[in-house]
Amino acid sequence: EAITNNWNGFFGFNSDDLYRAFMPAWSYHWGSNQPKALYGILNMLAARSTQLPKDVFIQKAYDQLHYFHGVNPLGIVYLSNMYEVGGDVCANEIYHAWFYDGTDWDHAINSPYGPAPGFVPGGPNSSFTITNLQPPYGQPDQKSYLDFNDGWPLNSWEITEPAIYYQAAYIRLLAHFTRKGGTTLTDELTGSELIIAPNPVSDHLIIVDDFISNAKIFSASGQLITSWSEERNRTQVVALPEGEYVLFGYSKEKGKWVSQKFIKL
């Protein structure tokens, strides 16, 4: 019921966020990068456990991951010192005893060594307590961040201190999109073995060497467009507006639920 009604916008794409990684404003607290990753993980769990179109949830998880890699209002990679692997603007400073302010490991660019790569800082914190430091205080939720590692009384730990549970959430989300034996875990979920043609399509969509029943066509935003219950291996899509869609149904040949994206011309 929580997934179907989606009261808080946890599931699937939400156009309220220009950066495609929506989460409720109240989630931008101390350690906000943890729930940012956890919402992505939640959508991957929904993709595994529901009969709704999996692509909608997987796209949401992708967007949450892209947020960490720079698709956010600050254009920052929320991982420390990732320049050697292609990061343009990274977290240069993290609050940590090993990489403390003024040490040789202080800043990824301005110190001899910089912090170790790949640490996830806490993230934007709209509840930052030091009111005379702006930013991060007094900013929009997603901009309540400052790339610094000063100790007391500026309390950078409320923003940039890494924690094992931030790291673990990010890695678990990332793992869904890394390769395993030539395929990704998302390939296994999306039913990419369902072959449809032509794709893109203008009139009739053919399901190659298969019949599906209890089928539905959803728009890219998750809106149900049409459905049918009987077994078919083709359907007319000429009346659909141009755009991207998801075909979802039960495969007689494979004995399981399958889905596939297609583009209507």
Side-chain angles (χ1 to χ4, degrees):
E1 186 178 353
I3 296 175
T4 304
N5 290 294
N6 197 17
W7 293 293
N8 293 300
F10 294 163
F11 299 98
F13 175 70
N14 188 319
S15 60
D16 290 346
D17 187 341
L18 293 176
Y19 300 90
R20 300 178 61 92
F22 174 83
M23 68 179 186
W26 47 261
S27 295
Y28 289 98
H29 47 60
W30 188 337
S32 66
N33 277 341
Q34 184 183 19
K36 182 68 75 168
L38 292 177
Y39 287 130
I41 295 167
L42 187 64
N43 274 266
M44 292 304 295
L45 292 173
R48 287 179 176 275
S49 60
T50 73
Q51 295 183 0
L52 296 172
K54 301 179 188 307
D55 295 75
V56 175
F57 301 118
I58 292 170
Q59 185 60 58
K60 169 66 172 178
Y62 261 126
D63 292 335
Q64 300 300 102
L65 185 62
H66 292 326
Y67 170 91
F68 283 92
H69 297 162
V71 186
N72 57 65
L74 301 178
I76 187 174
V77 176
Y78 280 118
L79 297 162
S80 62
N81 199 3
M82 298 296 286
Y83 295 104
E84 290 190 8
V85 291
D88 294 324
V89 180
C90 304
N92 293 312
E93 300 182 66
I94 52 177
Y95 180 83
H96 192 282
W98 296 348
F99 315 118
Y100 192 69
D101 185 41
T103 68
D104 286 348
W105 298 270
D106 174 12
H107 192 287
I109 298 175
N110 300 328
S111 66
Y113 307 113
F119 279 92
V120 179
N125 179 6
S126 62
S127 300
F128 185 69
T129 59
I130 308 304
T131 60
N132 62 351
L133 185 61
Q134 301 182 26
Y137 183 82
Q139 304 299 306
D141 296 328
Q142 294 188 49
K143 290 187 175 182
S144 300
Y145 188 83
L146 181 65
D147 189 19
F148 76 132
N149 61 3
D150 301 55
W152 185 87
L154 295 181
N155 297 11
S156 66
W157 53 79
E158 297 181 22
I159 299 288
T160 64
E161 184 176 24
I164 191 170
Y165 29 90
Y166 311 157
Q167 198 83 13
Y170 166 76
I171 290 173
R172 184 176 178 187
L173 175 59
L174 180 67
H176 287 292
F177 304 102
T178 55
R179 294 202 166 269
K180 184 187 73 172
T183 63
T184 67
L185 292 177
T186 53
D187 290 334
E188 297 172 9
L189 285 174
T190 55
S192 58
E193 71 274 22
L194 179 62
I195 302 172
I196 57 180
N199 192 9
V201 59
S202 58
D203 47 21
H204 281 84
L205 185 67
I206 300 171
I207 303 152
V208 180
D209 296 330
D210 206 346
F211 287 80
I212 62 172
S213 59
N214 298 310
K216 298 177 175 64
I217 293 178
F218 294 87
S219 69
S221 63
Q223 179 184 2
L224 177 63
I225 304 300
T226 188
S227 64
W228 64 89
S229 58
E230 72 277 9
E231 288 185 355
R232 292 190 198 173
N233 70 344
R234 63 187 294 130
T235 187
Q236 188 180 92
V237 296
V238 66
L240 294 183
E242 294 181 2
E244 186 174 284
Y245 297 87
V246 178
L247 174 63
F248 175 78
Y250 186 81
S251 165
K252 179 180 180 181
E253 178 71 22
K254 299 177 179 65
K256 64 179 182 179
W257 296 93
V258 292
S259 63
Q260 186 58 278
K261 291 181 179 179
F262 67 92
I263 296 172
K264 169 61 171 57
L265 298 176

